[in-house]
Amino acid sequence: FRYDRSYSQVIYLGSEINASGTITSLAWYYNNIFETIPNHNIDVYIGHTRKNNFTYTQQSGTKADYEPATNLTKVYSGRLVTNSSKGWKTIILDTPFDYDGSSNLVVAVNSSFNGQIWPFSDPDRFYNTSNSGVRTLTSQTNGGAPYNPEALPSYATFSGNTPNIKFGGLSQSCETPKGLAVSNITTNSATITFDVPTTTISSG
């Protein structure tokens, strides 16, 4: 299938982000295996959400469970360059987003290709992480104007996968433990070990 217009929303849990501050950039990891994808126009929105997952239905005429546009802030409008090489593709936000440090986030991307076709095939594209539940909603079409986030489509495909992302500008007050191990487990005690951080950690 080939589409040149798409609108997607992805939920990232606060427990996954585990950081606070002002988001100044976003980056996605592009896996340029087989073919070149044209540079494309994107509008990016971010918002806090109470959702852990989207409630999804394919029933005709029923709104997909997108986060309303009124709960999102437009943070970027421009190009995402993907036709160079594999690796992290970064955008600097036009409007930095103040993250509260605990809520889940929705990242929405409205993309268009000006007649250039986005080829959905093979394992090319962007790295994702598999999760339980519905964490991604996407609507796709050919031709016409880009989607209007304020008049959301009634149909969306769904996925438990979330695109791997870096939130630039955030920092952790205490790094997530690495090398976590549990031993000597009894009915009322256990020994927990982990690697001590040696550097200051930033999310991007």
Side-chain angles (χ1 to χ4, degrees):
F1 297 98
R2 291 170 179 262
Y3 303 94
D4 55 13
R5 303 286 186 271
S6 68
Y7 179 76
S8 64
Q9 288 189 359
V10 182
I11 294 174
Y12 295 96
L13 304 181
S15 57
E16 297 170 332
I17 300 169
N18 190 31
S20 60
T22 299
I23 301 172
T24 56
S25 66
L26 298 176
W28 296 271
Y29 195 94
Y30 176 57
N31 183 21
N32 185 17
I33 295 178
F34 293 123
E35 55 191 313
T36 295
I37 295 176
N39 301 348
H40 48 287
N41 300 309
I42 60 172
D43 292 332
V44 180
Y45 305 79
I46 302 177
H48 296 104
T49 182
R50 295 182 179 179
K51 300 178 189 290
N52 294 316
N53 293 281
F54 293 110
T55 301
Y56 177 73
T57 177
Q58 285 186 326
Q59 182 178 350
S60 178
T62 300
K63 287 285 186 183
D65 188 33
Y66 284 116
E67 189 73 26
T70 52
N71 295 344
L72 304 177
T73 299
K74 188 174 183 178
V75 295
Y76 179 79
S77 183
R79 292 269 186 170
L80 177 63
V81 177
T82 57
N83 63 354
S84 53
S85 61
K86 67 184 301 181
W88 289 101
K89 304 303 177 182
T90 302
I91 58 172
I92 305 301
L93 302 188
D94 302 323
T95 304
F97 183 85
D98 292 328
Y99 176 50
D100 67 13
S102 60
S103 296
N104 300 338
L105 285 180
V106 167
V107 177
V109 177
N110 196 16
S111 64
S112 61
F113 299 91
N114 294 328
Q116 296 174 324
I117 300 300
W118 176 279
F120 281 92
S121 61
D122 302 315
D124 204 350
R125 320 302 165 252
F126 295 87
Y127 281 0
N128 286 257
T129 297
S130 179
N131 303 278
S132 61
V134 177
R135 298 275 295 277
T136 299
L137 291 179
T138 304
S139 295
Q140 302 158 334
T141 188
N142 277 321
Y147 282 101
N148 178 4
E150 295 183 2
L152 297 173
S154 59
Y155 176 81
T157 58
F158 69 97
S159 175
N161 294 339
T162 52
N164 293 357
I165 196 169
K166 287 184 178 181
F167 294 101
L170 300 185
S171 61
Q172 295 178 302
S173 58
C174 180
E175 184 186 356
T176 303
K178 295 180 175 64
L180 192 66
V182 180
S183 60
N184 302 325
I185 301 173
T186 69
T187 55
N188 57 9
S189 67
T191 300
I192 300 174
T193 59
F194 58 90
D195 296 335
V196 177
T198 58
T199 58
T200 300
I201 300 300
S202 170
S203 64

